[in-house]
Amino acid sequence: MRRELRGKYEKSILGFLWAFLGPLFQILIYSVVFTVVFHNNMPNYAMFLMAGMLPWTFFNDSVAQGTSIIINNAEMVKKIYFPREVLVISEVTAKLVNMLLSFIVMALFLVATRIGFSIQLVILPIAIIIEYLFILGLSLIVSSLTVYLRDLEYVINVALMAWIWGTPVMYTADGITNNLYRTLLLCNPMTAIINNYQSILYYHRWPTMWGLLIPFIESIVILIIGAVIFVKGKKRFAEEM
């Protein structure tokens, strides 16, 4: 994990500052687009956007880069024996650290906009753990399958571009009136995960019991499936590469 973090920032002038600046610029751009161009009247929309965008970026970057994590470490996989799962775990954990650093930026915005902090923050670690388990399971699946199906890396990148629009990151699910689209939102595991962050950080209300329990069960199921697929697939990683 330390190698992943150092490798990302070691040759940049600002180094780890990009962990703060990247999300900050992204939020500012989306805020301008959805408040100035599309005239969004939601109060403190930038904070709503940040509450959803930071966990989404954690998900998007982990899965996108997780597809090629085994392939990118082909020489190590072929020459050294070690639990291959370590590569995926380190990648996802490094992205988790990036998100936690980004939360520092959000904390400053919470103070600046006078939204402040609430008692609901005590449940934020649970929301983070649920998302981490879901991402880890999905990353185990895609990293293993991509070794055998190289096109999957490009398919996943396209899927992620579409996935964000099927997740209430830049809009609220309550504003969706189309029944088909609402059904798709409910079937999307990331919907409940993002809603939990928004409830805690933006609305200052407790996530519902089902809002935590259902994504937790889904995350455990995906993690188990991912572990099974990865264990079966890793036996021939060296041969395939």
Side-chain angles (χ1 to χ4, degrees):
M1 184 187 71
R2 191 162 57 242
R3 185 194 67 175
E4 293 293 336
L5 290 171
R6 286 178 177 175
K8 182 175 182 179
Y9 300 111
E10 65 178 355
K11 293 185 179 180
S12 63
I13 297 175
L14 297 180
F16 273 95
L17 279 176
W18 283 112
F20 306 98
L21 294 176
L24 176 60
F25 290 139
Q26 187 178 31
I27 297 302
L28 290 175
I29 292 171
Y30 278 109
S31 296
V32 170
V33 170
F34 284 94
T35 56
V36 177
V37 179
F38 293 104
H39 303 288
N40 189 306
N41 296 320
M42 180 180 290
N44 292 311
Y45 177 72
M47 295 310 308
F48 171 81
L49 188 59
M50 192 174 289
M53 188 61 72
L54 295 185
W56 173 264
T57 300
F58 171 38
F59 168 76
N60 183 87
D61 291 353
S62 297
V63 176
Q65 296 184 28
T67 56
S68 58
I69 187 65
I70 303 298
I71 298 171
N72 290 343
N73 290 275
E75 292 303 315
M76 187 186 302
V77 171
K78 289 188 288 187
K79 294 180 179 179
I80 305 172
Y81 175 77
F82 64 97
R84 288 12 178 171
E85 294 85 348
V86 170
L87 294 172
V88 181
I89 294 172
S90 65
E91 177 72 23
V92 175
T93 306
K95 296 298 182 294
L96 172 62
V97 172
N98 279 331
M99 183 179 73
L100 296 179
L101 291 174
S102 299
F103 275 142
I104 298 176
V105 176
M106 184 168 192
L108 297 176
F109 270 82
L110 287 171
V111 174
T113 57
R114 297 185 179 182
I115 293 180
F117 306 100
S118 66
I119 187 62
Q120 284 80 11
L121 281 175
V122 299
I123 208 170
L124 182 60
I126 296 177
I128 294 174
I129 291 171
I130 290 173
E131 184 181 21
Y132 179 86
L133 294 176
F134 178 72
I135 292 173
L136 181 58
L138 196 57
S139 296
L140 286 170
I141 294 173
V142 297
S143 62
S144 176
L145 295 180
T146 304
V147 175
Y148 300 91
L149 303 169
R150 301 299 173 91
D151 288 346
L152 186 61
E153 178 180 354
Y154 307 102
V155 173
I156 292 296
N157 287 330
V158 172
L160 289 172
M161 285 192 290
W163 200 333
I164 187 173
W165 298 105
T167 307
V169 174
M170 292 169 279
Y171 57 86
T172 62
D174 295 336
I176 303 300
T177 57
N178 184 284
N179 291 331
L180 176 60
Y181 198 68
R182 286 186 65 86
T183 302
L184 292 175
L185 284 180
L186 293 175
C187 294
N188 177 6
M190 284 301 295
T191 295
I193 291 174
I194 295 297
N195 283 343
N196 288 335
Y197 283 97
Q198 292 169 341
S199 295
I200 296 168
L201 297 170
Y202 179 76
Y203 292 109
H204 289 182
R205 63 192 184 198
W206 297 103
T208 65
M209 180 185 69
W210 293 112
L212 290 172
L213 183 59
I214 291 178
F216 175 72
I217 294 174
E218 290 173 339
S219 298
I220 294 298
V221 171
I222 291 295
L223 182 60
I224 292 173
I225 294 173
V228 171
I229 292 176
F230 195 91
V231 168
K232 291 185 176 181
K234 70 177 183 180
K235 297 176 182 179
R236 295 183 52 214
F237 281 172
E239 298 176 17
E240 292 293 326
M241 294 186 293

